[in-house]
Amino acid sequence: MTDSPVVIVVDDDDSLRDAMRRLLDAGGFSPVAYASGEALMADGLRPEAACVVTDLKLPGMSGLDLLARLKALRAPLPVVLITAHDDAHTRENALQHGASAYIAKPFRGTALLQVISSVLGRA
């Protein structure tokens, strides 16, 4: 078993999901990726998961819906929401609903790594 924090990635865009998986792996994390919130929930939340990074706009269960599901399960995981549909209302809504962080697309890989490290309390 690895000592790298497990970061769950949920994004319906295959290329972005794969790019984030590679980025997280190179950044010292152990990524596990899903194409939807439903796929994550069907697989079961991994007990070793340290953080969830999810797109806000997904077909079916949205990122906010997934956040609510995780909170209902009392999963104390930080959730980072990413979106290409950035505006002040959406950002405020996400944070009010318990997102640990919010990142607008496009974003730099270093910015995502920094946000994840920050929500996990890593230096």
Side-chain angles (χ1 to χ4, degrees):
M1 193 72 179
T2 180
D3 289 335
S4 302
V6 174
V7 176
I8 296 172
V9 174
V10 182
D11 200 303
D12 60 318
D13 180 320
D14 294 340
S15 62
L16 181 57
R17 189 174 62 248
D18 289 342
M20 284 193 289
R21 186 172 38 215
R22 288 189 308 273
L23 172 71
L24 291 167
D25 188 49
F29 297 99
S30 294
V32 179
Y34 295 92
S36 68
E38 291 88 352
L40 167 59
M41 298 310 291
D43 196 30
L45 190 58
R46 295 167 178 262
E48 70 274 17
C51 178
V52 175
V53 176
T54 182
D55 195 0
L56 182 62
K57 302 280 187 191
L58 295 165
M61 183 187 304
S62 73
L64 283 178
D65 294 337
L66 178 58
L67 175 61
R69 282 289 250 335
L70 294 172
K71 288 179 82 164
L73 292 173
R74 300 196 188 288
L77 291 174
V79 176
V80 177
L81 287 170
I82 57 175
T83 186
H85 307 279
D86 183 35
D87 62 62
H89 180 281
T90 302
R91 185 172 36 258
E92 186 176 319
N93 190 34
L95 296 173
Q96 284 180 348
H97 280 88
S100 299
Y102 176 98
I103 303 175
K105 293 178 188 176
F107 52 83
R108 293 186 181 272
T110 54
L112 179 62
L113 292 174
Q114 185 175 34
V115 165
I116 292 170
S117 292
S118 176
V119 301
L120 293 179
R122 296 174 86 195

